Amino acid sequence: MIDFSSTLPGLSGLPSADPVASGRLSVAALLDHLQHALVVLDVEGRVVGHNHCAREMLELPLTLLQKQPLIDDVVRWQIKRGDLRGDAQRLVERVWYHLRRVQETGQPHIYTYTTAGGRTLQGTTIAVPGGGWVRTYVDVTRHAQAANFLRESEERFRSLTELSADWYWEWDAEGRYTRLEGRLIRETSTAEMFLGRCAWDVPALNRPTAREWRPLIEAFEQRRVFRRFEIQRRLQDGRVVWFSISGMPVYDAQGRFAGYRGVGRDVTRRKADQATIERLAFYDSLTGLYNRRSFQDKLTQAQAASARSGQWSALCFIDLDNFKDINDAFGHGVGDQLLQTVAKRLREAVREEDTIARLGGDEFVVLLEDLDREEEQAAWRAQHVAEKIRVALERPVTVDGHEVQSTPSIGITVFRGRSDAVEDILGRADLAMYHSKAAGRNAVRFFDPAMQEAVLARATLQRELRHGLRDGELRLYGQPIVDDKAQVVGYEALLRWQHPLRGMVSPAEFIPVAEQSGLILPMGQWVLRQACAHLAAWARDPQRAHWTMAVNLSARQLRQPDFVQSVQTALAETGANPSRLKLELTESLLLHDVEDTIVKMAALSAMGVQFALDDFGTGYSSLAYLKRLPLDQLKIDRTFVRDILDDPNDAAIARTILQLANSLELSVVAEGVETVAQFETLRAMGCRLFQGYHFGRPTAL
């Protein structure tokens, strides 16, 4: 053992080497007990001192150290054994460079190396006052192994995220992204979209509102693990992708919530595969329509919905006539293109909410829901749609230069609720379709014979009404309106239809058909023009020049964008005085788009046209709207006039209407006056205008 006190000038003042001197250990004995290796170099770089730990840790032979070798010899010995690697001369020069550097700067030099035996040492060189150096060594093998393990783990992690479709992410305690790593993240620059933001703050196509994000937000707020939360996003390059993220909460050493960490995955391919599987399972591969299996599910759902709503639904069964002949003549390729065209035309012919399916071959079905609460009305609407389909499908199709035509035979059945099995509904529609073929094909038939007859009768009435409008069969009648002296002051225009075979057709029979078919628009314009023509003729007669003409408006007329212009046109073409024209609205018209109605009424009122509210007291009767509408007159409905002498309630209602009209500065017409007693009673209440059979029945104008 070398005595450090004799070799180091700076240590000469230390206690004696005597191990029991002063009852304390000597310096040499103390240094031998250190767990750090200690090596002393003199000014020439010779090893002049070391402790026991140095021999063990550096694994240097005692015979070498006893020779007090130069540091150069120690370095060469370590190179030979494999502790150090590289050119010997360069390594020696490097050692001396650091020794001198330490001497010049007074700053220690710290370095690390691994011996041939696998031990990692951290050395520190410091300068000794008066010359020389002290080198200490610490065994940092375990620390180096741990650091190496962490480095390798990080490298493995990065390799996995680079090679897979998964990526790693972290959130802070506020749920904001703080870290995103992975190949997909890097390649798509996705991190820019998310860092510093919460997942639910970045727009997602499948989660447009906060409600769709609630499951993820609740999991975060409750610190729960969440798995496979799917999000559809549009990337900066325009691509639409599906992501699935899973995460778990993270806590610090004190147990405080620190955020979340988790993984993400690109599941776009899986979602596309799922869509393909669903399409194959539920959709017809040729046309893209529902197949038989999915349509049966839709039909079951429609039954449940109709049971809840009370609305009738209908099923149209469509079979193409002579389709087999087209396939045989032109080949299946042409046939397939024809079926695709049929599918396209079906989509165009029905509402977006209606369900279309291809059952197989050339058989199609259309499901029409929420038609009406009345069975006959629902059947009428179904027949209207079916006829629209028939017209659309009977048009020829040009395929590969061939013009082909396959007309449809359509069968209809209506249903409501769950009383019938799905197969029974399909069977009835199928049977009705065969009746259509038996009737000559390219036709529409109902399953129920009685309903078929009713629908055909209505269709016939619509066709004949259209012809009647074209052929001048409509007639304008009028019922007089009188004052309190029973003197005529005007007429209410009433429409009649003089059928060449049926005779006079009741308005109650043909007006609903006109409303549904849209014929009410040209009919209403015809009535308006005829009424204005009569006003212009009366204006030339001093006895009738002050008369007014009241014309009833339909809801369809009032909703037309050009309604105001149509009235202006009728007045201009006939030369009628606008102030003598009175347009009558029912309270039901006020239930739809009141603001638009007010604007149109105001435009005509500014010209002098008057407005009357018909059947007052039987409908909506909103006083708020009454104040805003440019009205001139109210008409007491006949139901209150009929029993005014016997029912105190009817009398009170009539009196209230008169008082209300008086306060609003409106005139009042009492409808349905049929007796002198009714006339006198109403006149005593303050009514000044009357209409009814007591004063005259409707007559031709």
Side-chain angles (χ1 to χ4, degrees), residues 208-378:
T209 66
R211 181 170 58 87
E212 287 85 7
W213 288 102
R214 282 311 306 169
L216 181 62
I217 295 174
E218 289 176 358
F220 174 76
E221 292 173 345
Q222 298 168 14
R223 312 295 188 248
R224 290 188 283 106
V225 174
F226 61 86
R227 293 181 174 86
R228 294 178 292 280
F229 187 80
E230 294 185 346
I231 309 166
Q232 186 185 34
R233 297 195 188 277
R234 186 181 299 279
L235 300 183
Q236 293 176 336
D237 60 5
R239 286 187 299 135
V240 175
V241 297
W242 280 92
F243 294 151
S244 171
I245 61 173
S246 302
M248 63 186 303
V250 178
Y251 299 88
D252 62 16
Q254 287 72 41
R256 293 173 300 203
F257 175 67
Y260 266 72
R261 70 164 61 103
V263 293
R265 172 168 293 185
D266 184 347
V267 294
T268 307
R269 176 67 62 85
R270 176 171 62 81
K271 297 294 285 188
D273 291 343
Q274 287 178 347
T276 300
I277 293 171
E278 181 180 353
R279 188 166 58 251
L280 293 174
F282 299 105
Y283 295 87
D284 174 55
S285 59
L286 178 64
T287 62
L289 301 175
Y290 287 113
N291 59 21
R292 178 183 287 272
R293 172 187 170 185
S294 54
F295 180 77
Q296 289 176 329
D297 292 340
K298 292 288 184 180
L299 188 51
T300 301
Q301 295 169 18
Q303 286 183 286
S306 69
R308 291 191 299 269
S309 67
Q311 297 270 348
W312 284 85
S313 300
L315 179 63
C316 301
F317 198 107
I318 306 162
D319 185 89
L320 301 181
D321 303 325
N322 304 318
F323 180 73
K324 184 177 181 301
D325 296 338
I326 294 174
N327 258 344
D328 293 341
F330 302 105
H332 290 282
V334 171
D336 287 348
Q337 291 186 55
L338 174 60
L339 294 175
Q340 291 171 335
T341 302
V342 168
K344 180 176 180 292
R345 290 181 178 179
L346 284 174
R347 291 190 188 97
E348 295 170 347
V350 302
R351 302 171 300 180
E352 186 175 349
E353 60 266 30
D354 295 328
T355 303
I356 314 170
R358 179 189 175 209
L359 300 186
D362 60 338
E363 293 180 339
F364 296 83
V365 284
V366 176
L367 175 61
L368 308 172
E369 298 185 65
D370 296 328
L371 293 175
D372 203 276
R373 287 182 172 273
E374 297 296 328
E375 184 179 12
E376 183 178 342
Q377 186 74 5

Side-chain angles (χ1 to χ4, degrees), residues 51 204 241 272 292 301 311 477 511 530 556 585 587 608 661 681:
N51 65 355
V241 297
R292 178 183 287 272
Q301 295 169 18
Q311 297 270 348
Y477 275 52
I511 290 296
Q530 292 296 314
R556 280 205 176 197
L585 305 86
E587 293 181 34
T681 299

Side-chain angles (χ1 to χ4, degrees), residues 22 147 381 409 451 548 556 593 628 635:
S22 305
R381 291 184 175 178
S409 293
M451 188 174 296
T548 61
R556 280 205 176 197
D593 205 348
R628 298 180 60 197
K635 301 189 78 171

Side-chain angles (χ1 to χ4, degrees), residues 543-598:
Q543 303 254 340
R544 299 180 292 178
H546 65 286
W547 286 4
T548 61
M549 179 73 82
V551 176
N552 290 284
L553 295 178
S554 73
R556 280 205 176 197
Q557 278 180 285
L558 194 58
R559 286 199 292 267
Q560 292 301 303
D562 62 345
F563 169 69
V564 172
Q565 183 180 354
S566 68
V567 176
Q568 293 172 337
T569 300
L571 290 168
E573 290 179 348
T574 58
N577 185 349
S579 63
R580 297 301 175 192
L581 176 64
K582 189 173 295 181
L583 301 179
E584 293 190 1
L585 305 86
T586 61
E587 293 181 34
S588 61
L589 293 184
L590 302 180
L591 293 176
H592 303 284
D593 205 348
V594 177
E595 299 303 325
D596 181 63
T597 299
I598 292 174

Side-chain angles (χ1 to χ4, degrees), residues 432-473:
M433 182 272 296
Y434 279 107
H435 283 304
S436 174
K437 285 189 178 294
R441 304 188 177 189
N442 194 21
V444 177
R445 289 293 182 271
F446 274 85
F447 169 75
D448 181 61
M451 188 174 296
Q452 172 73 27
E453 183 178 346
V455 169
L456 284 177
R458 193 159 188 168
T460 300
L461 185 65
Q462 177 182 325
R463 184 178 64 255
E464 292 179 349
L465 181 58
R466 182 176 287 106
H467 293 164
L469 179 62
R470 181 195 63 193
D471 298 339
E473 296 172 6

